[in-house]
Amino acid sequence: MYTTFESTPRYDGFRMPGEFEPHTKTWMLWPERSDNWRMGAKPAQSTFVEVANAIAQFEPVSMGVSRAQFQHARQMLPPQVRVVELSYDDAWIRDCGPTFVINDQGEVRGIDWVFNAWGGLVNGLYFPWDQDDLVPQKVLNIEELGRYRAPIVLEGGSIHVDGEGTLFTTAECLLDEGRNPALSQAEIETVLAEYLAIDKIVWLPRGVFNDETNGHVDNIMTVARPGEVIVTWTDDPQDPQYEISREAYEVLVHAQDARGRKLKVHKIHQPDPVLISEEESQGVDAVDGTLPRLAGDRMAASYINFLIVNNGVVVPTFRDRHDQAALSALQEIFPERKVVGVYAKEILLGGGNIHCITQQQPLGKVG
Ligand code: KQY
């Protein structure tokens, strides 16, 4: 049965689990809009199929697809991927989809944050976004899970948790004027504490250079397991990411998590700058109100934007000289999982990466 609860997850005994905890499935949305994805989204669709295939080695995948693309997506995706018709504005389910929470009995519910396309009329990336804002309701209806409508604008990519009371985020994003200008930092912290069962928030100052989400945390750092995090890095002092990564590293090595632990912080060197080519730029339809894709612009490329799945890790690669080192480092950090790389420039050209196009649904009670 579908219910919207008026209480808060914490009050009801729910918490947001870490991504490394068991999943029942991963959700994705099929890319389609030609003002964000080049060549009518055809190259991006091929990459989304590769990501779905990589995840499907480890756990079920459900793909939301529009009415217009249903037959095409069904034909491109393997039979083990469930295809569900639903409407949405673009394919970033990490951000517009529900954040799942779980209780000690294994009941799963979903948080439906207010979504305004990364900044609404102040600095949002497209208009309108009303169908994206309905995605959590649709997913929770399909899954017959209870819903909480949260009272703030928030995207899933702007938070990471350790499942044990610690949340990581960036001030650049959560305090941006396009999200919740009427709320203080303390008021935002109170909402996060109540909806995700959080006792400690680690604020990084900024996200990755040129990240159009106002610096989502999921592109600069992630949580491997409680007490252990990974940050994107560069050794090049001329690179604009150099100071940003150092700043984040300093915060992380000096932080204590909700359980009073010091963090073990791994560094993964970023790829060389990934720029939009003339051909890639020309493949994107120009539409007023949508962020243009200009030749020569640098995209926010980072290996950190990976997804942890059951027994696996699905990592973006860039055909870059740093790819192999990143994959090897991640395999060492996750010896219990198989690390799989997917060449992901087409997702990056849309403005995000593998973590941004996926949303894990935790494993609830079995049977
Ligand atoms: O990185 C993300 N989480 C989403 C980026 C949105 C890009 C829209 N063009």
Side-chain angles (χ1 to χ4, degrees), residues 30 47 53 56 65 127 198 204 249 306 355:
W30 188 249
T47 305
N53 278 327
V65 178
F127 176 87
I198 295 303
L204 306 184
Y249 182 81
F306 60 77
H355 198 255

Side-chain angles (χ1 to χ4, degrees), residues 36 90 92 94-95 118 125-126 157 211-213 216 218 290-291 293 305 350-353 356:
N36 191 57
D90 202 358
W92 308 98
R94 172 67 51 191
D95 293 341
W118 309 274
L125 298 179
Y126 50 72
D211 190 324
E212 64 197 58
T213 62
H216 271 186
D218 69 347
T290 303
L291 192 74
R293 297 273 172 239
N305 207 301
N353 225 307
C356 311

Side-chain angles (χ1 to χ4, degrees), residues 65-278:
V65 178
S66 74
R67 167 183 160 176
Q69 285 283 310
F70 185 89
Q71 278 193 302
H72 173 58
R74 180 63 286 173
Q75 182 261 320
M76 281 190 75
L77 289 159
Q80 67 268 31
V81 171
R82 177 173 76 158
V83 177
V84 180
E85 184 186 321
L86 51 86
S87 311
Y88 47 90
D89 296 298
D90 202 358
W92 308 98
I93 198 164
R94 172 67 51 191
D95 293 341
C96 68
T99 297
F100 293 98
V101 289
I102 190 162
N103 70 6
D104 288 345
Q105 289 69 50
E107 187 185 344
V108 176
R109 295 180 182 171
I111 302 172
D112 176 357
W113 309 100
V114 180
F115 181 79
N116 75 353
W118 309 274
L121 298 180
V122 176
N123 53 1
L125 298 179
Y126 50 72
F127 176 87
W129 53 80
D130 56 307
Q131 292 305 307
D132 279 343
D133 196 35
L134 291 174
V135 167
Q137 284 195 51
K138 294 175 184 173
V139 168
L140 296 170
N141 264 281
I142 291 165
E143 295 294 317
E144 299 187 70
L145 298 175
R147 162 181 178 256
Y148 296 93
R149 177 63 164 174
I152 60 169
V153 173
L154 185 130
E155 306 96 42
S158 69
I159 52 169
H160 263 312
V161 298
D162 68 357
E164 296 187 353
T166 315
L167 180 142
F168 301 85
T169 190
T170 65
E172 179 187 352
C173 181
L174 257 60
L175 306 183
D176 181 71
E177 56 173 349
R179 307 301 204 283
N180 300 289
L183 298 184
S184 67
Q185 180 167 345
E187 287 167 327
I188 292 171
E189 288 192 340
T190 301
V191 175
L192 296 172
E194 278 309 304
Y195 279 76
L196 301 169
I198 295 303
D199 299 315
K200 174 71 188 274
I201 300 185
V202 178
W203 289 88
L204 306 184
R206 293 181 280 172
V208 168
F209 174 70
N210 256 4
D211 190 324
E212 64 197 58
T213 62
N214 310 102
H216 271 186
V217 75
D218 69 347
N219 214 21
I220 188 165
M221 65 81 58
T222 190
V223 183
R225 56 186 64 79
E228 211 170 321
V229 300
I230 318 172
V231 66
T232 193
W233 194 253
T234 175
D235 292 326
D236 177 3
Q238 304 310 319
D239 192 294
Q241 186 57 37
Y242 185 83
E243 285 304 327
I244 300 173
S245 283
R246 266 156 187 75
E247 219 172 58
Y249 182 81
E250 285 304 308
V251 171
L252 291 168
V253 290
H254 290 110
Q256 270 196 352
D257 68 14
R259 299 267 175 108
R261 286 177 292 236
K262 299 290 281 180
L263 299 170
K264 179 170 183 184
V265 187
H266 302 274
K267 300 169 184 167
I268 301 270
H269 202 287
Q270 68 179 9
D272 286 335
V274 178
L275 309 181
I276 304 176
S277 70
E278 189 62 50

